[in-house]
Amino acid sequence: MEKALQAEPAAQSAAERIARSDRCVVVGRGFNYATAFETALKMKELAYLEAEPYSSADFRHGPIAMVETGFPAVLVAVGETMRDEMLELREAVRKRGANLVVLGDDETPAIRMTPGCLCQVACPNG
């Protein structure tokens, strides 16, 4: 709980920047795809934002082309499932200038070291 509260100011700032956009993507893989799908659904319901969920595999084959400077992208990389692939994708969207939000966990220290990321949240395990 303490870690979540510590991340609140950065999360609020990221939410405010994403809210200024009319669209974004939420990307996950494996069980994280379900989290990405639900996150995108909540963004649509609560913020009236055109948020599209993608599997990281599908996202790399076409939709990544829409990412440009300032485009909001939320990456869900919790657990070991496809962690390396998600970290590679993080770099790809960061290089394209995305406003990046990364959700990770205590087992993904690289998540906390993403230059230029709006918000990085390491969710505690357990």
Side-chain angles (χ1 to χ4, degrees), residues 6 8 17 23 36 42 84 97 105 121:
Q6 289 172 353
E8 185 178 358
R17 289 194 55 191
R23 61 193 178 118
K42 292 303 174 196
D84 292 339
D105 60 19
V121 179

Side-chain angles (χ1 to χ4, degrees), residues 100-122:
L100 184 59
V101 174
V102 180
L103 305 176
D105 60 19
D106 289 338
E107 303 301 318
T108 313
I111 292 295
R112 294 186 295 273
M113 298 181 285
T114 306
C117 189
L118 291 180
C119 180
Q120 302 168 111
V121 179

Side-chain angles (χ1 to χ4, degrees), residues 27-110:
V27 183
R29 184 71 188 260
F31 67 85
N32 289 321
Y33 176 62
T35 303
F37 197 90
E38 185 64 23
T39 300
L41 180 62
K42 292 303 174 196
M43 292 171 106
K44 290 174 185 177
E45 290 174 345
L46 301 173
Y48 305 105
L49 183 66
E50 185 182 332
E52 294 300 324
Y54 288 98
S55 160
S56 59
D58 295 338
F59 188 67
R60 284 185 170 273
H61 296 286
I64 195 170
M66 71 179 135
V67 177
E68 57 189 22
T69 301
F71 185 87
V74 178
L75 303 184
V76 183
V78 177
E80 294 180 23
T81 305
M82 306 304 284
R83 179 180 293 148
D84 292 339
E85 178 183 327
M86 291 302 294
L87 294 175
E88 289 174 17
L89 181 60
R90 173 199 66 183
E91 286 306 304
V93 297
R94 186 184 66 78
K95 287 178 181 176
R96 292 169 88 64
N99 279 341
L100 184 59
V101 174
V102 180
L103 305 176
D105 60 19
D106 289 338
E107 303 301 318
T108 313

